[in-house]
Amino acid sequence: MNDAPLTPPVLTARGLTKSYGPTRALAGVDLAIRPGESVAVMGPSGSGKTTLLHVLSGIIVPDAGQVTLAGADGTRHELTGLNEEHRARLRRERLGFVFQEGLLLPELTARENVAMPLMLNGAHRKAAEQTAARWLESLGLAGMGDRRPGELSGGQRQRVAIARAQAVEPDVVFADEPTGALDSDTSDAVLASLISSTVSRGRTLVVVTHDPSVAAACSRLVRVRDGRIESDTAQRPAQPASEGTVR
Ligand code: ADP
Ligand code: MG
């Protein structure tokens, strides 16, 4: 685990608590995630996984505790000390997200969906669409850039969502049950794309999952129960299933 001399964490959480009325979603979480780690977060439904992901990524602020993001560009930000506008900018520029239902914009083509965050970050349309096309190609979607989400399969849509998350070159990619809505073969292929597109670039992945094969393909397994970390183990990542088939 964290006993060797290692690079400093990209993401550090200390003493996180978060309640919704009487429900304690996070009951004191400490976690340090280093660049290049792929962290699977598992736990029963309602144990606080999504809340943890949202706090780590600055989507919500905890009741207490701190989250610090130390980017590859050398900047350090205490997310928990920033206002919503500033957090939103950091999310857009430094973090990537893949949710269960890709959340693509239905009116835009696949290429435009991937280009959108790049343009929000200031890239010109042409450059953004070229970058988007390269990412779609590397995720096995060459030739599908002009299709709208409704013209793609569930697995293809999730690959577009992965391309969109990766295109901004984020410090950390967060995925919340990214394959939960897919059949298991498609899910394996999408997952393999997600892990390889993140880790092969030395980036960091935090993925909430119920799927043991997703967890096995990660370098670290964090188990959450009742808003706390129940166990945290380094592991040798299993080779993910083939990325080959696009369904
Ligand atoms: P998980 O992702 O592990 O299923 P969540 O983090 O979504 O768990 O939820 C943890 C607990 O907090 C659950 O009891 C859930 O009902 C509650 N919770 C989560 N989000 C909200 C919310 N916005 N309002 C009220 N309760 C919430
Ligand atoms: Mg959840």
Side-chain angles (χ1 to χ4, degrees):
M1 262 167 286
N2 299 337
D3 46 0
L6 293 164
T7 44
V10 57
L11 204 58
T12 309
R14 279 188 224 289
L16 300 180
T17 63
K18 175 74 189 174
S19 294
Y20 296 102
T23 306
R24 204 131 209 248
L26 295 179
V29 170
D30 296 277
L31 191 62
I33 297 173
R34 292 172 200 283
E37 282 194 297
S38 45
V39 182
V41 178
M42 298 188 91
S45 181
S47 59
K49 305 178 298 294
T50 293
T51 305
L52 176 60
L53 207 75
H54 287 180
V55 171
L56 290 177
S57 58
I59 292 174
I60 57 175
V61 285
D63 298 333
Q66 279 134 34
V67 175
T68 308
L69 175 70
D73 60 359
T75 58
R76 265 180 87 80
H77 299 278
E78 196 195 308
L79 291 182
T80 33
L82 303 174
N83 63 26
E84 166 56 29
E85 191 186 340
H86 198 159
R87 294 201 313 280
R89 192 171 80 228
L90 282 175
R91 284 200 300 274
R92 209 172 64 220
E93 294 178 353
R94 306 271 25 117
L95 306 176
F97 295 90
V98 184
F99 297 102
Q100 179 168 350
E101 307 280 355
L103 300 182
L104 302 174
L105 296 170
E107 310 301 329
L108 301 185
T109 65
R111 186 169 48 250
E112 288 165 344
N113 265 283
V114 177
M116 174 66 78
L118 296 166
M119 289 168 63
L120 289 172
N121 287 346
H124 290 291
R125 173 180 284 272
K126 195 165 174 209
E129 293 205 0
Q130 281 168 352
T131 303
R134 278 201 302 278
W135 273 102
L136 290 173
E137 193 175 330
S138 82
L139 284 154
L141 296 171
M144 298 188 200
D146 290 326
R147 296 203 202 170
R148 293 193 161 70
E151 301 163 333
L152 297 167
S153 71
Q156 288 165 343
R157 283 198 293 273
Q158 280 307 69
R159 287 175 189 239
V160 175
I162 293 167
R164 182 181 55 184
Q166 300 286 12
V168 300
E169 311 277 331
D171 288 313
V172 185
V173 174
F174 293 94
D176 195 351
E177 304 191 31
T179 60
L182 304 175
D183 68 67
S184 71
D185 286 351
T186 307
S187 154
D188 285 350
V190 166
L191 158 76
S193 300
L194 174 63
I195 293 183
S196 69
S197 64
T198 311
V199 175
S200 68
R201 287 169 180 80
R203 285 199 208 124
T204 312
L205 175 67
V206 182
V207 54
V208 171
T209 184
H210 288 296
D211 182 341
S213 70
V214 177
C218 291
S219 67
R220 182 171 170 190
L221 174 56
V222 170
R223 287 187 186 276
V224 175
R225 181 177 291 273
D226 298 332
R228 296 178 194 279
I229 292 182
E230 181 182 52
S231 68
D232 183 352
T233 356
Q235 59 186 19
R236 182 200 294 261
Q239 203 63 31
S242 156
E243 289 178 57
T245 341
V246 184
R247 283 174 240 233

